[in-house]
Amino acid sequence: MNYTLHQLKVFIEIVEKKSITKAAEALYLSQPAVSIQLKNFQDQFPIPLTEVVGKRLYVTDFGLEIAATARRILVEVDRINHKTHAFQGKLAGKLKLSVVSTGKYVMPYFLSGFLNENSAIDFSMDVTNKQQVVNHLENNDIDFALVSVLPKQMDLQHIPLLRNSLYLVGGTERVEQRKGKKALIFTQGPMLFREKGSATRNAMETFIDKRNLKSSKKIELTSNEALKQAVIAGIGYSIMPLIGIKNALLNKEMTVIPYPGLPIETEWNIVWRKDKKLTPIASAFIDYIKEHKAEIIEQHFSWVDDF
């Protein structure tokens, strides 16, 4: 046996994705490169690890056993690396975050300095909707989450970061051509919504329902970026967080429409379970946020106060 750690990582990705193409995408490798690694790995075993039936890739029972062992090997390799860094006086280990989708415009700025100072940290951030973030917190899958509305059903610690303002917006060309009362924007639509489970959608629906402004034309999009592009293209109007549309506003692709009761104001918060025992890395991250929060906001988010 002469397999490499890289081959183990590639094989695990193939097992999890059940596709060479998807594994290649996840690993940022070409499909031929992944196929070669799989072949070289397979050549070291007399029993098939995978099989192709009807153009679909299946992992054999033996392949599943090898994958389980490979995962344990890689965990031990991680521990060796972390222990090495720890003896060198460096923070080492894993830091896991779950972030609501619009939070991707916020969280990187509060992470970059910390990660650059502690290069031995293995970091992962899942960008998803609020419901999935709550699930990650409930299942204790993560160290921290970034949300704009605190989940009420959980006992959490939190650090407020900056305000989150949601405005009524439309594509500039469509707004300039619009006629009639502003209420018609909602009732005649089309109104563009995020998917169910999104905090932005919940805030938007609450605002509309309280004012009885329900539209007969509703379009749903499953990411903030897709929603932004649809608004810019003139497909319809939406209520969107300011943090994600800065460049579109500056480029005059999108226009804020003043409307009574808007903007909706919430606040971005780093949250974690009160009963969670924080790792040294997690504790160091909280200390970093507390110490550097003001300068990060001043450097990267002072423009928010201009609206």
Side-chain angles (χ1 to χ4, degrees), residues 2 17 67 91 95 111 138 155 175 180 218 249 262 287 306:
N2 193 30
K17 299 292 190 295
L91 277 175
L95 181 67
L111 278 165
E138 289 177 337
D155 199 9
V175 171
K218 181 185 288 188
L249 293 173
L262 293 175
D287 291 341
D306 295 336

Side-chain angles (χ1 to χ4, degrees), residues 100-227:
V100 294
S101 59
T102 312
K104 65 178 176 284
Y105 302 109
V106 176
M107 198 68 244
Y109 295 99
F110 289 90
L111 278 165
S112 60
F114 179 73
L115 294 177
N116 289 336
E117 289 176 6
N118 301 282
S119 58
I121 291 176
D122 292 332
F123 166 70
S124 66
M125 183 171 77
D126 186 28
V127 180
T128 182
N129 63 35
K130 183 187 176 184
Q131 186 55 56
Q132 281 297 105
V133 171
V134 171
N135 290 343
H136 289 154
L137 283 167
E138 289 177 337
N139 296 332
N140 198 28
D141 294 330
I142 55 173
D143 297 301
F144 303 106
L146 179 71
V147 295
S148 58
V149 179
L150 294 174
K152 295 180 181 179
Q153 69 271 36
M154 301 183 67
D155 199 9
L156 299 171
Q157 300 262 45
H158 74 280
I159 299 176
L161 297 183
L162 68 156
R163 67 183 176 92
N164 180 39
S165 305
L166 288 78
Y167 289 84
L168 175 63
V169 292
T172 298
E173 185 176 348
R174 182 173 185 128
V175 171
E176 290 175 347
Q177 295 175 355
R178 190 190 67 81
K179 297 178 181 179
K181 296 181 179 180
K182 288 182 181 178
L184 296 177
I185 292 173
F186 293 96
T187 57
Q188 293 184 357
M191 294 301 296
L192 310 183
F193 290 78
R194 284 285 308 280
E195 78 283 3
K196 291 185 182 296
S198 159
T200 298
R201 178 179 179 132
N202 291 342
M204 185 172 172
E205 288 184 329
T206 299
F207 178 84
I208 290 172
D209 290 345
K210 282 184 177 179
R211 290 157 181 79
N212 196 27
L213 295 170
K214 292 184 179 179
S215 171
S216 58
K217 298 180 181 179
K218 181 185 288 188
I219 297 173
E220 182 177 298
L221 297 103
T222 57
S223 77
N224 194 72
E225 198 62 30
L227 183 63

Side-chain angles (χ1 to χ4, degrees), residues 19-91:
S19 164
I20 289 176
T21 300
K22 291 180 180 178
E25 291 174 355
L27 294 164
Y28 300 100
L29 297 171
S30 68
Q31 187 173 332
V34 171
S35 296
I36 291 170
Q37 290 297 323
L38 176 60
K39 181 182 182 303
N40 291 341
F41 190 54
Q42 173 65 78
D43 286 346
Q44 299 177 72
F45 299 95
I47 304 172
L49 300 170
T50 62
E51 56 185 357
V52 177
V53 179
K55 296 185 178 180
R56 288 189 61 185
L57 184 143
Y58 295 87
V59 183
T60 65
D61 289 342
F62 178 68
L64 293 173
E65 291 286 341
I66 295 300
T69 302
R71 290 188 185 95
R72 291 194 293 270
I73 292 171
L74 292 177
V75 167
E76 292 304 318
V77 170
D78 282 343
R79 286 177 180 166
I80 291 171
N81 291 335
H82 297 157
K83 287 181 183 296
T84 301
H85 289 305
F87 272 96
Q88 292 175 322
K90 299 178 181 178
L91 277 175

